[in-house]
DNA sequence: TTGGCGATTGGCT
DNA sequence: GCCAATCGCCAAT
């Protein structure tokens, strides 16, 4: 089935595409973002990250998804994990912008944030949903489901699909060396919607959730996806 | 030392 | 729509 369809593609798009298809390790599709490209301000960063790529290079290949939903947890935000001050658990939120803050929640799930602001400031951006781009078969394995739309729709699912856990807390997402990193956008971003955040009690009125309108991989109730 | 609770999810009604 | 699962953190004892 797969071989047959590949052969058909070859006959239509020619030799160059055939080389592309048969190359075992295709050239990286994603350019690593430099830290200087990341807005310092938490809310600006949350908006900026929509459409960008989250990549995890694993021994057997690459997991990658397009960021389609984020939430900002700015300085002094009562809903933020840094609100009660610096601690061992929330240390990564205080790192220079572009570091991963990974936290275990509800005894079940891992959540991933990108740290923001200047070093020493506890703030970050929660990655709430991804549109799968690469390594879909491995994401399915990590998630225990083959429902594409559900692979990384929701922050707990993002971490599970991407194989992100406590080992990645504090990782520099802008380093040239790390396996987990942020990549440039693979296509232009659509209209960005802004709503209140999901699943919080304090500062619940603040509109700090950002998402690509019309994207099927965005989480939350329908009224927060239009 | 302990108890309440949380940036969620999946299964069941 | 409702609720249990499940565990680390932290405020209060």
């Amino acid at each position: 089935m797969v071989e047959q369809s590949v052969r058909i593609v070859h006959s239509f798009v020619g030799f160059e595409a055939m080389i592309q298809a048969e190359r075992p390790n295709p050239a990286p599709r994603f350019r690593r973002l430099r830290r200087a490209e990341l807005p310092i301000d938490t809310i600006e960063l949350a908006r900026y990250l929509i459409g960008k790529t989250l990549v995890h290079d694993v021994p057997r290949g690459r997991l990658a998804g397009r960021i389609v939903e984020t939430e900002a947890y700015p300085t002094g935000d009562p809903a933020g994990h840094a609100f009660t001050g610096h601690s061992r658990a929330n240390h990564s939120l205080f790192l220079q912008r572009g570091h991963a803050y990974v936290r275990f929640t509800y005894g079940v799930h891992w959540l991933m944030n990108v740290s923001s602001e200047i070093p020493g400031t506890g703030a970050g951006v929660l990655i709430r949903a991804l549109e799968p781009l690469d390594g879909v078969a491995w994401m399915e394995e990590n998630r225990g489901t083959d429902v594409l739309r559900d692979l990384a729709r929701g922050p707990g699912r993002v971490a599970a699909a991407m194989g992100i856990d406590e080992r990645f807390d504090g990782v520099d997402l802008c380093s040239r060396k790390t396996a987990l990193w942020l990549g440039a956008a693979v296509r232009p971003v659509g209209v960005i919607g802004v709503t209140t955040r999901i699943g919080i009690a304090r500062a619940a009125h603040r509109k700090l959730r950002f998402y690509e309108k019309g994207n099927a991989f965005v989480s939350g109730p329908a009224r927060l996806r239009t």
Side-chain angles (χ1 to χ4, degrees), chain A residues 89-156:
Chain A
N90 68 18
H91 175 70
S92 299
L93 280 177
F94 292 80
L95 298 174
Q96 190 174 30
R97 72 187 187 281
H99 285 74
Y101 164 61
V102 181
R103 173 99 174 210
F104 195 54
T105 309
Y106 290 104
V108 187
H109 304 287
W110 295 96
L111 307 185
M112 201 206 96
N113 294 242
V114 178
S115 68
S116 58
E117 304 293 337
I118 60 171
T121 308
V125 175
L126 173 68
I127 307 298
R128 282 198 60 92
L130 302 177
E131 173 185 332
L133 292 176
D134 270 8
V136 169
W138 299 322
M139 290 187 191
E140 291 175 346
E141 199 175 302
N142 288 341
R143 287 273 295 110
T145 177
D146 61 0
V147 180
L148 180 66
R149 182 166 180 256
D150 290 344
L151 290 184
R153 188 168 60 88

Side-chain angles (χ1 to χ4, degrees), chain A residues 62 78 86 89 131 162 166 206:
Chain A
R62 170 166 290 175
H86 187 283
E131 173 185 332
M162 295 291 288
E166 79 272 22
R206 300 189 69 181

